[in-house]
Amino acid sequence: MSGGQRREAIVAASIRLFAEQGFRGATTRELARAVGVTEPVLYRHFRTKSDLYRAIIEQKAREGEAAIERRLDRYLHGSDDAGFFSTLAGALL
């Protein structure tokens, strides 16, 4: 597994574990075990548990941005301003 793939696997497993146990409840040992790596490997990719949590937030923000872009794409070449702003407001809320 490449470093990038390992990092993605750590983030994916951590999303599930943080959702189940919360930030304070999930230990780095459990996070590493959920991915099938050791704690030192986890720390090679993320210096702290907060750095890992930040990576999750950044990933989710990118996913949200991409979803909004997909929803707004149909208005790109049109003139339906009301539809555009209504869809944008709905996506943001």
Side-chain angles (χ1 to χ4, degrees):
M1 185 179 288
S2 73
Q5 291 170 324
R6 172 99 49 214
R7 182 181 171 89
E8 288 176 19
I10 292 169
V11 169
S14 298
I15 289 170
R16 289 188 301 277
L17 200 57
F18 283 142
E20 292 169 5
Q21 299 181 13
F23 179 79
R24 287 191 175 91
T27 66
T28 55
R29 178 176 289 147
E30 291 170 318
L31 292 165
R33 191 175 338 139
V35 178
V37 300
T38 62
E39 282 184 276
V41 170
L42 185 75
Y43 286 123
R44 263 188 242 139
H45 293 278
F46 302 97
R47 288 182 26 181
T48 66
K49 192 164 73 164
S50 293
D51 289 342
L52 174 54
Y53 198 73
R54 184 176 300 109
I56 291 169
I57 299 300
E58 289 170 356
Q59 177 182 318
K60 291 299 181 182
R62 284 190 303 274
E63 290 172 5
E65 185 178 313
I68 290 172
E69 286 178 8
R70 285 191 301 274
R71 290 177 69 182
L72 295 177
D73 202 38
R74 66 181 170 175
Y75 298 103
L76 186 61
H77 299 291
S79 60
D80 183 4
D81 292 340
F84 170 84
F85 286 110
S86 176
T87 300
L88 177 61
L92 293 175
L93 294 174

Coordinates of all heavy atoms in Angstrom, one line a residue:
M1 N 0.9 -1.2 0.0 CA 0.0 0.0 0.0 C 0.9 1.2 0.0 O 1.8 1.3 0.8 CB -0.9 0.0 1.3 CG -1.9 1.0 1.3 SD -3.0 1.0 2.8 CE -4.0 -0.4 2.4
S2 N 0.6 2.2 -0.9 CA 1.4 3.4 -0.9 C 1.1 4.3 0.3 O 0.1 4.1 1.0 CB 1.1 4.2 -2.2 OG -0.2 4.8 -2.1
G3 N 2.0 5.3 0.5 CA 1.8 6.2 1.6 C 0.4 6.9 1.5 O -0.3 7.1 2.5
G4 N 0.1 7.3 0.3 CA -1.2 8.0 0.1 C -2.4 7.1 0.4 O -3.4 7.6 1.0
Q5 N -2.3 5.9 -0.1 CA -3.4 4.9 0.2 C -3.5 4.6 1.7 O -4.6 4.5 2.2 CB -3.1 3.6 -0.6 CG -3.3 3.8 -2.1 CD -2.8 2.6 -2.8 OE1 -1.8 1.9 -2.4 NE2 -3.5 2.3 -3.9
R6 N -2.3 4.5 2.3 CA -2.4 4.2 3.8 C -3.0 5.4 4.5 O -3.8 5.2 5.4 CB -0.9 4.0 4.3 CG -0.8 3.9 5.8 CD -0.8 2.5 6.3 NE 0.2 1.6 5.7 CZ 0.0 0.3 5.5 NH1 -1.1 -0.2 5.9 NH2 0.9 -0.4 4.9
R7 N -2.6 6.6 4.1 CA -3.2 7.8 4.8 C -4.7 7.8 4.6 O -5.5 8.1 5.5 CB -2.6 9.0 4.2 CG -3.0 10.3 4.8 CD -2.4 11.5 4.1 NE -2.9 12.7 4.5 CZ -2.5 13.5 5.5 NH1 -1.5 13.0 6.3 NH2 -3.1 14.6 5.8
E8 N -5.2 7.5 3.4 CA -6.6 7.5 3.1 C -7.3 6.4 3.9 O -8.4 6.6 4.4 CB -6.9 7.2 1.6 CG -6.6 8.4 0.7 CD -6.8 8.0 -0.8 OE1 -7.5 7.1 -1.1 OE2 -6.2 8.8 -1.6
A9 N -6.7 5.2 4.1 CA -7.3 4.1 4.9 C -7.3 4.6 6.3 O -8.3 4.2 7.0 CB -6.4 2.9 4.7
I10 N -6.3 5.3 6.8 CA -6.4 5.7 8.2 C -7.5 6.7 8.4 O -8.3 6.6 9.4 CB -5.0 6.4 8.6 CG1 -3.9 5.3 8.6 CG2 -5.1 7.1 9.9 CD1 -2.5 5.9 8.7
V11 N -7.7 7.6 7.5 CA -8.7 8.6 7.6 C -10.1 7.9 7.6 O -11.0 8.2 8.4 CB -8.6 9.7 6.5 CG1 -9.9 10.6 6.4 CG2 -7.4 10.6 6.7
A12 N -10.3 7.0 6.6 CA -11.6 6.3 6.5 C -11.9 5.5 7.8 O -13.1 5.6 8.3 CB -11.6 5.4 5.3
A13 N -11.0 4.8 8.3 CA -11.2 4.0 9.5 C -11.5 4.9 10.7 O -12.3 4.7 11.6 CB -10.1 3.1 9.8
S14 N -10.7 6.1 10.7 CA -10.9 7.0 11.9 C -12.2 7.7 11.8 O -12.8 8.0 12.9 CB -9.8 8.0 11.8 OG -8.5 7.4 12.0
I15 N -12.8 7.9 10.7 CA -14.1 8.5 10.6 C -15.1 7.6 11.3 O -15.9 8.1 12.1 CB -14.5 8.7 9.1 CG1 -13.7 9.9 8.5 CG2 -16.0 9.0 9.0 CD1 -13.9 10.0 7.0
R16 N -15.0 6.4 11.0 CA -16.0 5.4 11.7 C -15.7 5.4 13.2 O -16.7 5.4 14.0 CB -15.8 4.0 11.1 CG -16.3 3.9 9.7 CD -16.3 2.4 9.2 NE -15.0 1.8 9.2 CZ -14.1 2.0 8.2 NH1 -14.4 2.7 7.1 NH2 -12.9 1.4 8.3
L17 N -14.5 5.3 13.6 CA -14.2 5.2 15.0 C -14.6 6.4 15.8 O -15.1 6.4 16.9 CB -12.7 4.8 15.2 CG -12.4 4.2 16.6 CD1 -13.2 2.9 16.8 CD2 -10.9 3.9 16.6
F18 N -14.3 7.6 15.2 CA -14.6 8.9 15.9 C -16.2 9.0 15.9 O -16.7 9.5 16.9 CB -14.0 10.1 15.2 CG -12.6 10.3 15.4 CD1 -11.7 10.7 14.4 CD2 -12.0 10.1 16.7 CE1 -10.4 11.0 14.6 CE2 -10.7 10.4 16.9 CZ -9.9 10.8 15.9
A19 N -16.8 8.5 14.9 CA -18.3 8.6 14.9 C -18.9 7.7 16.0 O -19.9 8.1 16.7 CB -18.9 8.2 13.6
E20 N -18.3 6.6 16.2 CA -18.8 5.7 17.3 C -18.4 6.1 18.7 O -19.2 6.0 19.6 CB -18.2 4.3 17.0 CG -18.7 3.6 15.8 CD -17.9 2.3 15.4 OE1 -17.1 1.9 16.2 OE2 -18.2 1.8 14.3
Q21 N -17.1 6.5 18.8 CA -16.6 6.8 20.2 C -16.3 8.2 20.5 O -16.0 8.5 21.7 CB -15.3 6.0 20.4 CG -15.6 4.5 20.3 CD -14.3 3.7 20.5 OE1 -13.3 4.2 21.0 NE2 -14.3 2.4 20.2
G22 N -16.4 9.1 19.5 CA -16.1 10.5 19.8 C -14.6 10.7 19.7 O -13.8 9.8 19.8
F23 N -14.2 12.0 19.7 CA -12.7 12.3 19.6 C -12.0 11.9 20.9 O -11.0 11.2 20.8 CB -12.6 13.8 19.4 CG -11.1 14.3 19.3 CD1 -10.4 14.1 18.2 CD2 -10.5 14.8 20.4 CE1 -9.1 14.5 18.1 CE2 -9.2 15.2 20.4 CZ -8.5 15.0 19.2
R24 N -12.6 12.2 22.0 CA -11.9 11.8 23.3 C -11.9 10.3 23.6 O -11.1 9.8 24.2 CB -12.5 12.6 24.4 CG -12.1 14.1 24.4 CD -12.5 14.8 25.7 NE -12.0 16.1 25.7 CZ -12.7 17.2 25.3 NH1 -13.9 17.0 24.8 NH2 -12.2 18.4 25.3
G25 N -13.0 9.7 23.1 CA -13.2 8.3 23.4 C -12.3 7.3 22.6 O -11.9 6.2 23.0
A26 N -11.9 7.8 21.4 CA -11.1 6.9 20.5 C -9.6 7.2 20.8 O -9.1 8.3 20.8 CB -11.4 7.3 19.0
T27 N -8.9 6.1 21.1 CA -7.5 6.2 21.4 C -6.7 6.0 20.1 O -7.2 5.4 19.1 CB -7.0 5.2 22.4 OG1 -7.2 3.8 21.8 CG2 -7.9 5.3 23.7
T28 N -5.5 6.4 20.1 CA -4.6 6.2 18.9 C -4.3 4.7 18.7 O -4.2 4.2 17.6 CB -3.3 7.0 19.0 OG1 -2.6 6.6 20.3 CG2 -3.5 8.5 18.9
R29 N -4.3 4.0 19.8 CA -4.1 2.5 19.7 C -5.3 1.9 19.0 O -5.1 1.1 18.1 CB -4.0 1.9 21.1 CG -3.8 0.4 21.1 CD -3.6 -0.2 22.4 NE -2.2 0.2 22.9 CZ -1.9 0.5 24.1 NH1 -2.8 0.4 25.1 NH2 -0.7 0.8 24.4
E30 N -6.5 2.3 19.3 CA -7.7 1.8 18.6 C -7.7 2.2 17.2 O -8.1 1.5 16.3 CB -9.0 2.2 19.4 CG -9.2 1.6 20.7 CD -10.3 2.3 21.5 OE1 -10.4 3.5 21.5 OE2 -11.0 1.5 22.1
L31 N -7.3 3.5 16.9 CA -7.3 4.0 15.6 C -6.4 3.2 14.7 O -6.7 2.7 13.6 CB -6.9 5.5 15.6 CG -8.0 6.4 16.2 CD1 -7.3 7.8 16.4 CD2 -9.2 6.6 15.2
A32 N -5.2 2.9 15.2 CA -4.2 2.1 14.5 C -4.7 0.7 14.3 O -4.6 0.2 13.2 CB -2.9 2.1 15.3
R33 N -5.3 0.1 15.3 CA -5.8 -1.3 15.2 C -6.9 -1.3 14.1 O -7.0 -2.3 13.4 CB -6.3 -1.7 16.5 CG -6.6 -3.2 16.6 CD -7.0 -3.8 17.9 NE -6.5 -2.9 19.0 CZ -7.2 -2.6 20.1 NH1 -8.4 -3.1 20.3 NH2 -6.7 -1.8 21.0
A34 N -7.8 -0.3 14.1 CA -8.9 -0.3 13.1 C -8.4 -0.3 11.7 O -9.0 -0.8 10.8 CB -9.8 0.9 13.4
V35 N -7.2 0.2 11.5 CA -6.6 0.3 10.1 C -5.7 -0.9 9.9 O -5.4 -1.2 8.7 CB -5.8 1.6 10.0 CG1 -5.2 1.7 8.6 CG2 -6.7 2.8 10.2
G36 N -5.2 -1.5 10.9 CA -4.3 -2.6 10.8 C -2.9 -2.2 10.7 O -2.1 -2.8 10.0
V37 N -2.6 -1.1 11.4 CA -1.2 -0.6 11.5 C -0.8 -0.4 12.9 O -1.6 -0.6 13.8 CB -1.0 0.8 10.7 CG1 -1.4 0.6 9.2 CG2 -1.9 1.9 11.4
T38 N 0.5 -0.1 13.1 CA 0.9 0.2 14.5 C 0.8 1.7 14.8 O 0.6 2.5 13.8 CB 2.4 -0.2 14.7 OG1 3.2 0.5 13.7 CG2 2.6 -1.7 14.4
E39 N 0.9 2.0 16.0 CA 0.8 3.4 16.4 C 1.9 4.2 15.7 O 1.7 5.4 15.3 CB 0.8 3.6 17.9 CG -0.6 3.4 18.5 CD -0.6 3.6 20.0 OE1 -0.1 2.7 20.8 OE2 -1.0 4.8 20.4
P40 N 3.2 3.7 15.7 CA 4.2 4.5 15.0 C 3.9 4.8 13.5 O 4.2 5.9 13.0 CB 5.5 3.6 15.1 CG 5.2 2.8 16.4 CD 3.7 2.6 16.4
V41 N 3.2 3.9 12.9 CA 2.8 4.1 11.5 C 1.8 5.2 11.4 O 1.8 6.1 10.6 CB 2.3 2.8 10.8 CG1 1.7 3.1 9.4 CG2 3.4 1.8 10.6
L42 N 0.8 5.2 12.3 CA -0.2 6.2 12.4 C 0.5 7.6 12.6 O 0.1 8.5 11.9 CB -1.1 5.9 13.6 CG -2.3 6.8 13.8 CD1 -3.4 6.5 12.7 CD2 -2.9 6.6 15.2
Y43 N 1.5 7.6 13.5 CA 2.1 8.9 13.8 C 3.0 9.3 12.7 O 3.4 10.5 12.6 CB 3.0 8.8 15.1 CG 2.1 8.8 16.3 CD1 2.1 7.8 17.3 CD2 1.2 9.8 16.6 CE1 1.3 7.8 18.4 CE2 0.4 9.9 17.7 CZ 0.5 8.8 18.6 OH -0.3 8.8 19.7
R44 N 3.4 8.5 11.8 CA 4.2 8.9 10.6 C 3.3 9.7 9.7 O 3.8 10.6 9.0 CB 4.7 7.7 9.8 CG 6.1 7.4 10.2 CD 6.7 6.3 9.3 NE 7.1 5.2 10.2 CZ 6.9 3.9 10.0 NH1 6.4 3.5 8.8 NH2 7.2 3.0 10.9
H45 N 2.0 9.4 9.6 CA 1.1 10.1 8.8 C 0.5 11.3 9.4 O 0.2 12.3 8.8 CB 0.0 9.1 8.3 CG 0.5 8.1 7.4 ND1 0.8 8.3 6.0 CD2 0.9 6.8 7.6 CE1 1.2 7.2 5.5 NE2 1.4 6.3 6.4
F46 N 0.3 11.2 10.7 CA -0.4 12.3 11.5 C 0.3 12.4 12.8 O 0.4 11.5 13.6 CB -1.9 11.9 11.8 CG -2.6 11.7 10.5 CD1 -2.9 10.4 10.0 CD2 -3.1 12.8 9.8 CE1 -3.6 10.2 8.8 CE2 -3.8 12.6 8.6 CZ -4.0 11.3 8.1
R47 N 0.9 13.6 13.1 CA 1.7 13.8 14.3 C 0.9 13.7 15.5 O 1.4 13.2 16.6 CB 2.4 15.2 14.2 CG 3.5 15.2 13.2 CD 4.2 16.5 13.2 NE 4.1 17.2 14.5 CZ 4.5 18.4 14.8 NH1 5.2 19.1 13.9 NH2 4.3 18.9 16.0
T48 N -0.4 14.1 15.5 CA -1.2 14.1 16.6 C -2.6 13.6 16.2 O -3.0 13.6 15.0 CB -1.4 15.5 17.3 OG1 -2.1 16.3 16.4 CG2 0.0 16.1 17.6
K49 N -3.4 13.2 17.2 CA -4.8 12.8 17.0 C -5.6 14.0 16.4 O -6.4 13.9 15.5 CB -5.4 12.3 18.3 CG -6.7 11.6 18.0 CD -7.2 10.8 19.2 CE -7.6 11.6 20.4 NZ -8.4 10.8 21.4
S50 N -5.2 15.2 16.9 CA -5.9 16.4 16.3 C -5.6 16.6 14.9 O -6.4 17.1 14.1 CB -5.4 17.7 17.1 OG -5.9 17.6 18.4
D51 N -4.3 16.3 14.4 CA -4.0 16.4 13.0 C -4.8 15.4 12.2 O -5.3 15.8 11.1 CB -2.5 16.1 12.8 CG -1.6 17.2 13.3 OD1 -2.1 18.4 13.5 OD2 -0.4 16.9 13.5
L52 N -5.0 14.3 12.7 CA -5.9 13.3 12.0 C -7.3 13.8 11.9 O -8.0 13.7 10.9 CB -5.8 11.9 12.8 CG -6.8 10.8 12.3 CD1 -6.6 10.6 10.8 CD2 -6.5 9.6 13.1
Y53 N -7.8 14.3 13.0 CA -9.2 14.9 13.0 C -9.3 16.0 12.0 O -10.3 16.1 11.3 CB -9.5 15.3 14.4 CG -11.0 15.5 14.7 CD1 -11.8 14.4 14.8 CD2 -11.6 16.8 14.8 CE1 -13.2 14.5 15.0 CE2 -13.0 16.9 15.0 CZ -13.8 15.8 15.1 OH -15.1 15.9 15.3
R54 N -8.3 16.9 12.0 CA -8.3 18.0 11.0 C -8.3 17.4 9.6 O -9.0 18.0 8.7 CB -7.0 18.8 11.2 CG -7.0 20.1 10.3 CD -5.8 21.0 10.6 NE -5.8 21.4 12.0 CZ -4.9 21.0 12.9 NH1 -4.0 20.2 12.6 NH2 -5.0 21.5 14.2
A55 N -7.6 16.3 9.3 CA -7.6 15.7 8.0 C -9.0 15.2 7.6 O -9.4 15.4 6.5 CB -6.6 14.6 7.9
I56 N -9.7 14.7 8.6 CA -11.1 14.3 8.4 C -12.0 15.4 8.0 O -12.8 15.4 7.1 CB -11.6 13.5 9.6 CG1 -10.9 12.2 9.8 CG2 -13.1 13.3 9.5 CD1 -11.1 11.5 11.1
I57 N -11.9 16.5 8.8 CA -12.7 17.7 8.6 C -12.4 18.3 7.2 O -13.3 18.6 6.4 CB -12.5 18.8 9.6 CG1 -12.8 18.3 11.0 CG2 -13.2 20.1 9.3 CD1 -14.3 17.9 11.2
E58 N -11.1 18.3 6.8 CA -10.8 18.8 5.5 C -11.3 17.9 4.4 O -11.8 18.4 3.4 CB -9.3 18.9 5.3 CG -8.7 20.1 6.2 CD -7.2 20.0 6.3 OE1 -6.5 19.1 5.8 OE2 -6.6 21.0 6.9
Q59 N -11.3 16.6 4.5 CA -11.8 15.7 3.5 C -13.3 15.9 3.4 O -13.9 16.0 2.3 CB -11.5 14.2 3.9 CG -12.2 13.3 2.9 CD -11.9 11.8 3.3 OE1 -10.8 11.5 3.7 NE2 -12.9 11.0 3.2
K60 N -14.0 16.0 4.5 CA -15.5 16.2 4.5 C -15.8 17.5 3.9 O -16.9 17.6 3.1 CB -16.1 16.1 5.9 CG -16.0 14.6 6.4 CD -16.8 13.7 5.5 CE -16.8 12.3 6.0 NZ -17.5 11.4 5.1
A61 N -15.0 18.5 4.1 CA -15.3 19.8 3.5 C -15.1 19.8 2.0 O -15.9 20.3 1.2 CB -14.3 20.9 4.1
R62 N -14.1 19.1 1.5 CA -13.9 18.9 0.1 C -15.1 18.1 -0.5 O -15.5 18.4 -1.6 CB -12.6 18.1 -0.2 CG -11.3 19.0 -0.1 CD -10.1 18.3 -0.6 NE -9.9 17.0 0.0 CZ -9.2 16.8 1.2 NH1 -8.7 17.9 1.8 NH2 -9.0 15.6 1.7
E63 N -15.5 17.1 0.2 CA -16.7 16.3 -0.3 C -17.9 17.2 -0.4 O -18.7 17.1 -1.4 CB -16.9 15.1 0.6 CG -15.9 14.0 0.5 CD -16.1 12.9 1.5 OE1 -17.1 12.9 2.3 OE2 -15.2 12.0 1.6
G64 N -18.1 18.0 0.6 CA -19.3 18.9 0.6 C -19.2 19.9 -0.6 O -20.2 20.2 -1.3
E65 N -18.0 20.4 -0.8 CA -17.8 21.4 -1.9 C -18.1 20.8 -3.2 O -18.7 21.3 -4.1 CB -16.4 21.9 -1.8 CG -16.0 23.0 -2.8 CD -14.6 23.5 -2.7 OE1 -14.2 23.8 -1.6 OE2 -14.0 23.6 -3.7
A66 N -17.6 19.5 -3.4 CA -17.8 18.8 -4.7 C -19.3 18.6 -4.9 O -19.8 18.7 -6.0 CB -17.0 17.5 -4.7
A67 N -20.0 18.2 -3.8 CA -21.5 18.0 -3.9 C -22.2 19.3 -4.3 O -23.1 19.2 -5.2 CB -22.0 17.4 -2.6
I68 N -21.8 20.4 -3.7 CA -22.5 21.6 -4.1 C -22.2 22.0 -5.6 O -23.1 22.4 -6.3 CB -22.0 22.8 -3.2 CG1 -22.6 22.6 -1.8 CG2 -22.4 24.1 -3.7 CD1 -22.0 23.5 -0.7
E69 N -20.9 21.8 -6.0 CA -20.6 22.1 -7.4 C -21.4 21.2 -8.3 O -21.9 21.7 -9.4 CB -19.1 21.8 -7.6 CG -18.2 22.9 -7.0 CD -16.7 22.6 -7.2 OE1 -16.4 21.7 -7.9 OE2 -15.9 23.4 -6.6
R70 N -21.6 19.9 -8.0 CA -22.4 19.1 -8.9 C -23.9 19.6 -8.9 O -24.5 19.5 -10.0 CB -22.4 17.6 -8.4 CG -21.1 16.9 -8.6 CD -21.2 15.4 -8.4 NE -21.6 15.1 -7.0 CZ -20.7 15.0 -6.0 NH1 -19.4 15.2 -6.2 NH2 -21.1 14.7 -4.7
R71 N -24.4 20.0 -7.8 CA -25.8 20.5 -7.8 C -25.9 21.8 -8.6 O -27.0 22.1 -9.2 CB -26.3 20.7 -6.4 CG -26.4 19.4 -5.6 CD -26.8 19.6 -4.2 NE -28.2 20.1 -4.1 CZ -28.8 20.4 -3.0 NH1 -28.2 20.2 -1.9 NH2 -30.0 20.8 -3.0
L72 N -24.9 22.6 -8.6 CA -25.0 23.9 -9.3 C -24.5 23.9 -10.7 O -24.8 24.8 -11.5 CB -24.1 24.9 -8.5 CG -24.6 25.3 -7.1 CD1 -23.6 26.3 -6.4 CD2 -26.0 25.9 -7.1
D73 N -23.9 22.8 -11.1 CA -23.4 22.6 -12.5 C -24.4 22.9 -13.6 O -24.1 23.5 -14.6 CB -22.7 21.3 -12.6 CG -21.7 21.2 -13.7 OD1 -21.0 22.2 -13.9 OD2 -21.7 20.2 -14.5
R74 N -25.6 22.5 -13.3 CA -26.7 22.6 -14.4 C -27.0 24.1 -14.6 O -27.6 24.4 -15.6 CB -27.9 21.8 -14.0 CG -28.6 22.3 -12.8 CD -29.8 21.5 -12.5 NE -30.3 21.8 -11.2 CZ -31.4 21.3 -10.7 NH1 -32.1 20.4 -11.3 NH2 -31.8 21.6 -9.5
Y75 N -26.7 25.0 -13.7 CA -27.0 26.4 -13.8 C -25.8 27.2 -14.5 O -25.9 28.4 -14.7 CB -27.3 27.0 -12.5 CG -28.5 26.4 -11.8 CD1 -28.4 25.5 -10.8 CD2 -29.8 26.7 -12.2 CE1 -29.5 24.9 -10.2 CE2 -30.9 26.2 -11.6 CZ -30.7 25.3 -10.6 OH -31.9 24.7 -10.0
L76 N -24.8 26.5 -14.8 CA -23.5 27.1 -15.3 C -23.8 28.0 -16.5 O -23.3 29.1 -16.6 CB -22.5 26.1 -15.5 CG -21.1 26.5 -15.9 CD1 -20.5 27.4 -14.8 CD2 -20.2 25.4 -16.2
H77 N -24.5 27.4 -17.5 CA -24.7 28.2 -18.8 C -26.1 28.7 -18.9 O -26.4 29.1 -20.0 CB -24.3 27.3 -19.9 CG -22.9 26.8 -19.9 ND1 -21.8 27.7 -20.1 CD2 -22.3 25.6 -19.6 CE1 -20.7 27.1 -19.9 NE2 -20.9 25.8 -19.6
G78 N -26.9 28.6 -17.9 CA -28.3 29.1 -18.0 C -28.5 30.5 -17.5 O -27.5 31.2 -17.1
S79 N -29.7 30.8 -17.4 CA -30.0 32.2 -16.9 C -31.0 32.1 -15.8 O -31.7 33.1 -15.4 CB -30.6 33.0 -18.0 OG -31.8 32.4 -18.6
D80 N -31.2 30.9 -15.1 CA -32.1 30.7 -14.0 C -31.4 31.2 -12.7 O -31.0 30.3 -11.9 CB -32.5 29.3 -14.0 CG -33.6 29.0 -12.9 OD1 -34.0 30.0 -12.2 OD2 -33.9 27.8 -12.7
D81 N -31.3 32.5 -12.5 CA -30.7 33.0 -11.3 C -31.4 32.5 -10.0 O -30.7 32.2 -9.0 CB -30.5 34.5 -11.3 CG -29.6 35.0 -12.4 OD1 -28.7 34.2 -12.9 OD2 -29.7 36.1 -12.8
A82 N -32.7 32.6 -10.1 CA -33.5 32.2 -8.9 C -33.2 30.7 -8.5 O -33.0 30.3 -7.4 CB -35.0 32.4 -9.1
G83 N -33.2 29.9 -9.6 CA -32.9 28.5 -9.3 C -31.5 28.2 -8.8 O -31.3 27.4 -7.9
F84 N -30.5 29.0 -9.3 CA -29.1 28.9 -8.9 C -29.1 29.3 -7.4 O -28.5 28.5 -6.6 CB -28.2 29.8 -9.7 CG -26.9 30.0 -9.1 CD1 -25.9 29.0 -9.4 CD2 -26.5 31.0 -8.3 CE1 -24.6 29.1 -8.9 CE2 -25.3 31.2 -7.7 CZ -24.3 30.2 -8.0
F85 N -29.6 30.4 -7.0 CA -29.5 30.9 -5.6 C -30.3 30.0 -4.7 O -29.9 29.8 -3.5 CB -29.8 32.4 -5.5 CG -28.7 33.2 -6.1 CD1 -28.9 33.9 -7.2 CD2 -27.5 33.3 -5.4 CE1 -27.8 34.7 -7.7 CE2 -26.4 34.1 -5.9 CZ -26.6 34.8 -7.1
S86 N -31.4 29.5 -5.1 CA -32.2 28.7 -4.3 C -31.5 27.3 -4.1 O -31.5 26.8 -2.9 CB -33.6 28.4 -5.0 OG -34.3 27.5 -4.3
T87 N -30.9 26.8 -5.1 CA -30.1 25.5 -4.9 C -28.9 25.8 -4.1 O -28.6 24.9 -3.2 CB -29.7 25.0 -6.3 OG1 -30.9 24.8 -7.1 CG2 -28.9 23.7 -6.2
L88 N -28.2 26.9 -4.2 CA -27.1 27.2 -3.4 C -27.4 27.3 -2.0 O -26.8 26.8 -1.1 CB -26.4 28.5 -3.9 CG -25.2 29.0 -3.1 CD1 -24.1 28.0 -3.1 CD2 -24.7 30.3 -3.6
A89 N -28.5 28.1 -1.7 CA -29.0 28.2 -0.3 C -29.3 26.9 0.3 O -29.0 26.6 1.5 CB -30.1 29.2 -0.2
G90 N -30.1 26.1 -0.4 CA -30.4 24.7 0.1 C -29.2 23.9 0.4 O -29.2 23.2 1.4
A91 N -28.2 24.0 -0.5 CA -27.0 23.2 -0.3 C -26.2 23.6 0.9 O -25.7 22.8 1.6 CB -26.1 23.2 -1.6
L92 N -26.2 24.9 1.1 CA -25.4 25.5 2.3 C -26.1 25.2 3.6 O -25.5 25.0 4.6 CB -25.2 27.0 2.1 CG -24.3 27.4 0.9 CD1 -24.2 28.9 0.8 CD2 -22.9 26.8 1.2
L93 N -27.4 25.1 3.5 CA -28.2 24.9 4.8 C -28.2 23.4 5.1 O -28.2 22.9 6.1 CB -29.6 25.4 4.7 CG -29.7 26.9 4.6 CD1 -31.1 27.3 4.4 CD2 -29.2 27.6 5.9

